[in-house]
Amino acid sequence: MSSTSSNPSIPNIPPPTAPWNPTPVSPKPRGLRKLHSTQALSQSAALNVPISAQSRLRQQRSVSAFHKDSLNNQLSAISSSRPFGRARSNSDASTKGPPTVALPIRRGAGQSSLPTPTTTPKSLDIMLRHVPAKNEIPLGIQEIKTLVLAHGVPSDSDGMSTSRIYLWLIFLSAPSLPTDNYLGLIHRGPSPAYSKIRNDTFRTLATDPLFRRRVSEASLIRLLNAVAWRLHDAKEERNLSTKNQSAITTLAEASPELHPVFNFIPSAKHARGPPTATTTEGSEAGSAEPGTYVQGMNVLAAPFLYAARSEVEAFVAFHRFLTEECPGYVRGAMEGVHRGLSLVDRVLAIVDPALSAYLLSKGMQAKLYAFPSVLTLCACTPPLPEVLHLWDFLFASGAHMNVLCIVAQLIMTRDAILESPSPMKVLRSFPPLQASKIKWLAISILDRIPNGLYDEIVDHAK
């Protein structure tokens, strides 16, 4: 999908004929660990997530404008307290000099809803190990997010951090999962998507030595196969529920004398409502559910396995991310990805009209060069440690900010693009990630886009 992974147009390769081995041994098995405070924070946050996708979308549309202003004020306060804040990120946006577009952040009249961090990055471990009182959990999560946005997550030169996976679990409101449940999915054997998974796993970040040294292909196969089983089961449950509801509706219409009996069945009560309302709600709820596997999920799963300290942690975080953050990315036609590509074009046209016009004059829409970056949240672009730092920012501020991060990369590369008679040669593989510059430039872009467009960015992956 880029210089470090496969291109999305790679032809299908017949799956290996090797028999299914449910528990191949990884080169470096990792122990199963957990933090009680992490579970308390993530599970408490999960209680605030609406059950249905339809209600979640309604809630997000109603608060997205407030979220934008709150995030903008928060990041403005953070950047003003940093000696290397927003001003430097703008000056370093281009490899050959400052960008030609000025992207200031409007300070806004309201006060930031989140406090400016006063602690050091080292206190992240202390905050993770401290279990706050129940009424203090929301504030604790906000403080952790603010700290990550301001300082990032401390890690070594390989991008490894003992706290990163727990922070991701908290930001994703991921529930805890008994190890036996994960093992049960593995021991079920090949999922219906197993052959597709085997076609992709061997080429996942194939040229990245850090990933290949830490994560085995067997581990990646187990994770993707377990996720495919979980998504397959959810799909089967939805299909069965739809059939049962349809049968009850038909019987209720054919047998009016049984209506008193149907009144005691919740699904029957719903089924006896207006047919148009039933169809609409069912279709919207169903459309928000992901498929079982699409090409590119292997690259999207790679950072989770690299950062996690066990496969169970990676599974919980990855499954939660797919089903809650970007179900539209892995649905059959990947409509969420295509909406994201359209948004990249629209945002670029607002923040850098000259660059946008030049690319369009060459027939280059975002769908021709940004598909892997949208689908994988830039995980297809090396180096991997920078991917992890960028994901820290995305999970703390919202994964939808990836759209702005891609526009930021285009602005950082604008000189090379404008000087090239064939820009596709420049954008065939994006330049190496520079997470710090990308995130601060994305923050400055945030204030340049109207609230209506930001609402679409928030919703595009649902």
Side-chain angles (χ1 to χ4, degrees):
M1 303 178 69
S2 77
S3 58
T4 61
S5 62
S6 62
N7 188 286
S9 62
I10 291 179
N12 291 330
I13 300 175
T17 57
W20 162 256
N21 181 5
T23 55
V25 180
S26 303
K28 292 186 178 181
R30 288 164 279 168
L32 302 176
R33 311 173 188 178
K34 63 181 179 179
L35 286 179
H36 176 62
S37 59
T38 302
Q39 294 181 351
L41 289 169
S42 61
Q43 291 177 5
S44 174
L47 295 177
N48 297 323
V49 179
I51 296 177
S52 70
Q54 187 181 20
S55 60
R56 171 160 49 81
L57 285 176
R58 284 198 298 265
Q59 182 187 40
Q60 285 185 331
R61 292 190 181 103
S62 65
V63 303
S64 59
F66 170 78
H67 175 269
K68 177 186 174 184
D69 293 339
S70 175
L71 178 62
N72 203 349
N73 290 335
Q74 173 196 6
L75 295 173
S76 299
I78 292 173
S79 63
S80 64
S81 67
R82 292 168 57 93
F84 54 96
R86 176 176 53 82
R88 179 174 176 180
S89 70
N90 283 345
S91 64
D92 291 343
S94 173
T95 57
K96 296 186 179 181
T100 58
V101 286
L103 302 171
I105 294 183
R106 181 175 62 245
R107 294 292 173 176
Q111 296 295 324
S112 172
S113 61
L114 302 181
T116 301
T118 58
T119 51
T120 62
K122 292 183 179 179
S123 48
L124 272 174
D125 288 337
I126 298 176
M127 295 179 71
L128 285 174
R129 285 177 169 80
H130 171 67
V131 181
K134 187 174 181 180
N135 61 337
E136 296 178 352
I137 287 179
L139 179 60
I141 294 175
Q142 289 182 344
E143 289 177 346
I144 292 175
K145 286 185 176 182
T146 304
L147 195 59
V148 170
L149 290 171
H151 299 289
V153 178
S155 56
D156 59 24
S157 59
D158 290 345
M160 298 307 302
S161 168
T162 57
S163 58
R164 172 171 283 122
I165 187 60
Y166 303 115
L167 293 168
W168 290 2
L169 290 169
I170 291 171
F171 296 159
L172 294 170
S173 302
S176 60
L177 179 76
T179 302
D180 288 345
N181 290 13
Y182 177 69
L183 294 176
L185 293 170
I186 292 174
H187 289 298
R188 288 173 65 176
S191 70
Y194 178 68
S195 61
K196 295 180 180 179
I197 292 171
R198 289 303 302 268
N199 280 341
D200 292 339
T201 52
F202 72 92
R203 61 169 72 100
T204 304
L205 305 188
T207 61
D208 193 310
L210 295 177
F211 179 77
R212 306 304 294 184
R213 183 168 66 242
R214 178 171 173 81
V215 180
S216 69
E217 184 184 356
S219 179
L220 185 59
I221 291 171
R222 287 193 295 265
L223 174 67
L224 292 172
N225 195 70
V227 168
W229 268 127
R230 179 64 69 85
L231 298 179
H232 172 78
D233 292 346
K235 187 175 181 179
E236 290 295 312
E237 290 177 4
R238 292 192 305 273
N239 292 339
L240 180 61
S241 176
T242 301
K243 290 180 181 179
N244 290 340
Q245 182 174 322
S246 176
I248 291 174
T249 303
T250 302
L251 186 57
E253 293 174 351
S255 306
E257 68 277 5
L258 296 179
H259 285 177
V261 177
F262 290 127
N263 287 334
F264 292 97
I265 306 177
S267 60
K269 292 180 182 180
H270 179 72
R272 291 180 60 202
T276 55
T278 303
T279 304
T280 302
E281 181 172 349
S283 62
E284 288 186 8
S287 65
E289 298 295 339
T292 56
Y293 182 81
V294 296
Q295 191 177 42
M297 281 174 59
N298 55 318
V299 179
L300 196 58
F304 288 104
L305 271 174
Y306 186 83
R309 307 182 73 181
S310 74
E311 286 183 25
V312 179
E313 292 172 342
F315 170 80
V316 172
F318 183 47
H319 179 265
R320 181 75 175 185
F321 176 76
L322 289 180
T323 56
E324 295 295 332
E325 295 295 324
C326 63
Y329 281 12
V330 295
R331 265 197 306 270
M334 300 183 183
E335 60 263 32
V337 178
H338 292 289
R339 285 195 294 266
L341 293 169
S342 175
L343 289 167
V344 169
D345 286 327
R346 293 168 60 187
V347 172
L348 183 62
I350 292 174
V351 300
D352 195 339
L355 180 58
S356 173
Y358 182 72
L359 288 173
L360 293 178
S361 71
K362 300 293 183 178
M364 289 185 57
Q365 295 176 317
K367 64 183 180 181
L368 298 179
Y369 57 82
F371 188 94
S373 295
V374 173
L375 172 61
T376 66
L377 269 67
C378 298
C380 59
T381 305
L384 186 54
E386 292 296 305
V387 172
L388 300 177
H389 286 303
L390 186 62
W391 277 30
D392 296 335
F393 165 72
L394 292 177
F395 290 155
S397 62
H400 59 273
M401 288 289 288
N402 181 53
V403 170
L404 304 187
C405 289
I406 295 172
V407 175
Q409 292 176 73
L410 294 174
I411 294 175
M412 291 168 62
T413 321
R414 74 185 313 274
D415 291 343
I417 295 174
L418 293 175
E419 292 174 0
S420 174
S422 302
M424 192 62 197
K425 294 181 179 179
V426 179
L427 296 177
R428 183 171 287 113
S429 60
F430 278 33
L433 285 181
Q434 301 178 65
S436 181
K437 295 179 181 180
I438 291 172
K439 86 175 180 181
W440 290 110
L441 187 53
I443 291 168
S444 64
I445 292 172
L446 177 65
D447 196 55
R448 293 289 301 276
I449 59 178
N451 288 340
L453 181 58
Y454 181 75
D455 294 345
E456 295 184 49
I457 293 174
V458 171
D459 294 343
H460 81 277
K462 306 305 181 183

